[in-house]
Amino acid sequence: MNAATDTAVRDFFDWQDRLAQRVRPLDEARVHGQLITRLQALLRERLRGLPARVWAPGPAVHLAEGARTVHPDLAVSSDEADLCSGLPLHAPSLLIEVATAATAGADRGEGFEQARTLPTLREYVIVEAGRARVDVYRRRADGGWLLDSHGAGEGFVLAAIDGTIEVDALYEGARLR
């Protein structure tokens, strides 16, 4: 090859790299939406006939401290006031965030810090949009939190819905990196 061809090939690969970096957030956003929809369906199925409800996407949740609200991707509550009055929720037992590269730090940091101020919260779940991984933070009897991580081929138990969700079922059809 000559110098002009080498430069054209190098420019093409540089262009592909730049394009891939722009497309990656769009792919993650698509998977984010797919996972929220899939989670909502799986949770609704599990809650059928129980005095509980799943809200998605982005339900307003009133924090115990002050008058602030947060907007997790999904929330589950069996509190009668929440079931009757609608939003904002005051007593959810389960909050779920679908984390992308852009939101993962906030979901694991400030999001979890704010969520655990809710006295009714039993579980805080982070579902990763970039790979098949689910982290379940569970409140212990002493008020501390225990982390359980789950990947492909595993299931994760959610006490708030009295059931298990299979990671593979959750990610079925999602295009991961």
Side-chain angles (χ1 to χ4, degrees):
M1 282 199 245
N2 62 33
T5 303
D6 286 346
T7 300
V9 169
R10 201 174 19 247
D11 288 347
F12 173 76
F13 286 118
D14 288 345
W15 171 80
Q16 266 191 327
D17 288 343
R18 287 190 310 276
L19 181 62
Q21 289 175 3
R22 282 195 304 246
V23 170
R24 201 169 295 125
L26 294 175
D27 287 344
E28 254 192 359
R30 186 175 302 114
V31 171
H32 180 271
Q34 290 171 339
L35 290 171
I36 290 172
T37 301
R38 188 78 177 128
L39 273 165
Q40 187 175 21
L42 291 168
L43 292 170
R44 274 197 176 137
E45 180 63 31
R46 187 66 188 132
L47 293 172
R48 187 180 312 250
L50 297 176
R53 182 174 165 204
V54 60
W55 282 266
V61 175
H62 180 78
L63 292 174
E65 296 178 355
R68 297 193 55 210
T69 58
V70 293
H71 298 270
D73 290 318
L74 295 106
V76 171
S77 179
S78 58
D79 180 77
E80 188 155 338
D82 284 346
L83 296 176
C84 295
S85 67
L87 299 176
L89 301 177
H90 293 274
S93 54
L94 169 64
L95 298 180
I96 301 176
E97 294 286 2
V98 177
T100 64
T103 66
D107 291 340
R108 292 181 186 284
E110 185 179 351
F112 180 51
E113 184 179 319
Q114 291 175 345
R116 65 183 179 213
T117 67
L118 291 162
T120 59
L121 189 66
R122 297 168 66 186
E123 293 155 322
Y124 181 79
V125 178
I126 297 178
V127 175
E128 292 194 21
R131 63 183 173 148
R133 179 184 164 135
V134 177
D135 290 336
V136 179
Y137 293 87
R138 189 169 286 108
R139 190 185 301 265
R140 298 186 318 225
D142 67 2
W145 291 83
L146 178 67
L147 169 62
D148 288 319
S149 295
H150 307 276
E154 299 178 335
F156 56 99
V157 175
L158 295 175
I161 65 163
D162 192 27
T164 301
I165 294 178
E166 298 299 322
V167 172
D168 294 343
L170 171 58
Y171 285 89
E172 184 178 316
R175 290 181 50 201
L176 304 176
R177 301 182 224 155

